[in-house]
């Protein structure tokens, strides 16, 4: 007898529009190039989610869907409020087990997202920058996310401690790196060289240097100076969790983006 999947897969994301996504990639990239990279990252993520058995796939979106959206996804709007409120609301829409990820981990694989809640109550995916790229709950409870300080070096540690304090049995996914800076982009692309993100990055040349003396474009591999968080995980540093995989997959991140005009929250 075939067992039907019972897990809902959630992707929280922002419409990839210039000036509203991946602002820490500019410079060295232009806002249009940064948005193009965000679109490729989101498309890779959605394709991976589409390949994972699930009872439902949901894109929790700030903005409007575009041609990058594959079939098989329900699209629901993000609620108002901080990132903790928007993550909590995404889980509140689920009646059974759910796994949520962001849009900034194009290196994620179907194997990483195929989780089994037998013997545990939660799955936690730590990010290299101290946030988290994935969170799975066997019994979604929005209260587990509300009030967690987002976009700090301790975001992941605080969120995981919240799960443990609630008496949940937590299993850890590998630590991943999300795409915030140009250095992140090149490192993540190297982990998934056959994806859209890597191909798009290869086509994006660094913009020409400014001639008005205000700044010169940085090399494509250097980190952008803007330290504003724009998504799902925290800033560099933070909590560590054991790396569970030994198959050569160099674990990295994800972040889901909050609008620049909202208080930012937590690959």
């Amino acid at each position: 007898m075939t067992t039907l999947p019972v897990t809902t897969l959630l992707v929280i994301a922002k419409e990839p529009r210039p000036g509203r996504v991946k602002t820490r990639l500019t410079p060295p990239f232009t806002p249009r190039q940064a948005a193009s990279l965000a679109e490729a990252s989101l498309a890779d993520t959605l394709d991976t989610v589409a390949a994972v058995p699930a009872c439902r796939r949901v894109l929790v979106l700030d903005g409007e869907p575009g041609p990058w959206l594959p079939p098989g996804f329900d699209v629901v709007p993000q609620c108002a409020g901080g990132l903790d409120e928007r993550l909590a609301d995404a889980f509140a829409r689920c009646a059974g087990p759910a796994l949520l990820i962001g849009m900034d981990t194009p290196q994620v694989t179907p194997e990483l997202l195929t989780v089994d809640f037998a013997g545990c109550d939660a799955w936690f995916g730590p990010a290299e920058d101290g946030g988290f790229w994935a969170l799975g709950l066997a019994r979604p409870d929005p209260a587990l996310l509300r009030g967690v300080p987002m976009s700090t070096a301790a975001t992941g540690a605080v969120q995981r401690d919240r799960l443990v304090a609630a008496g949940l049995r937590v299993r850890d996914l590998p630590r991943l790196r999300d795409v915030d800076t140009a250095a992140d982009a090149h490192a993540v692309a190297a982990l998934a060289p056959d994806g859209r993100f890597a191909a798009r990055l290869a086509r994006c040349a660094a913009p020409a240097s400014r001639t008005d003396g205000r700044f010169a474009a940085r090399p494509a591999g250097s980190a952008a100076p803007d330290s504003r968080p724009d998504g799902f995980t925290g800033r560099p540093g933070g909590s560590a969790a054991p790396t569970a995989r030994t198959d050569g997959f160099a674990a990295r991140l994800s972040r889901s983006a909050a609008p620049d005009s909202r208080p930012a929250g937590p690959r």
Side-chain angles (χ1 to χ4, degrees):
M1 179 177 177
T2 302
T3 301
L4 296 176
V6 296
T7 301
T8 295
L9 296 178
L10 303 164
V11 180
I12 188 162
K14 181 190 291 186
E15 179 187 356
R17 293 171 53 191
R20 297 190 68 247
V21 292
K22 295 290 112 203
T23 56
R24 293 174 66 189
L25 290 177
T26 58
F29 301 104
T30 67
R32 186 174 296 278
Q33 288 174 324
S36 179
L37 289 169
E39 178 181 316
S41 179
L42 177 55
D44 280 347
T45 301
L46 293 173
D47 280 353
T48 297
V49 170
V52 179
C55 69
R56 187 183 180 206
R57 299 175 186 86
V58 182
L59 175 62
V60 187
L61 184 64
D62 173 21
E64 298 296 326
W68 37 263
L69 179 66
F73 282 81
D74 296 331
V75 180
V76 299
Q78 292 183 23
C79 72
L83 185 53
D84 62 320
E85 288 290 342
R86 286 179 280 127
L87 296 176
D89 181 70
F91 277 107
R93 300 171 184 266
C94 303
L99 177 69
L100 180 144
I101 67 168
M103 64 182 284
D104 299 336
T105 50
Q107 76 274 38
V108 74
T109 65
E111 291 76 19
L112 283 174
L113 301 182
T114 305
V115 298
D116 184 357
F117 286 97
C120 75
D121 305 303
W123 284 92
F124 182 78
E128 285 194 355
D129 61 8
F132 58 94
W133 66 270
L135 179 62
L137 297 173
R139 290 175 293 279
D141 180 359
L144 292 170
L145 293 107
R146 291 193 177 108
V148 172
M150 299 293 170
S151 298
T152 77
T155 292
V158 173
Q159 181 62 76
R160 194 181 189 286
D161 287 347
R162 177 78 70 88
L163 303 177
V164 173
L168 303 187
R169 297 165 297 171
V170 182
R171 288 182 179 171
D172 294 298
L173 292 162
R175 185 189 315 278
L176 299 189
R177 181 173 183 170
D178 66 342
V179 177
D180 290 326
T181 67
D184 294 330
H186 285 278
V188 168
L191 295 173
D194 298 325
R196 288 186 183 88
F197 182 78
R200 193 72 53 86
L201 180 64
R203 293 199 299 268
C204 286
S209 298
R210 292 284 296 265
T211 57
D212 60 7
R214 281 186 286 175
F215 69 83
R218 292 172 174 258
S222 66
D226 187 353
S227 61
R228 293 173 298 165
D230 65 355
F232 185 41
T233 58
R235 294 192 296 270
S239 64
T243 299
R245 293 176 65 90
T246 58
D247 59 1
F249 181 87
R252 310 283 178 194
L253 135 88
S254 166
R255 289 171 36 127
S256 152
D260 293 341
S261 60
R262 298 178 181 170
R267 147 152 198 324

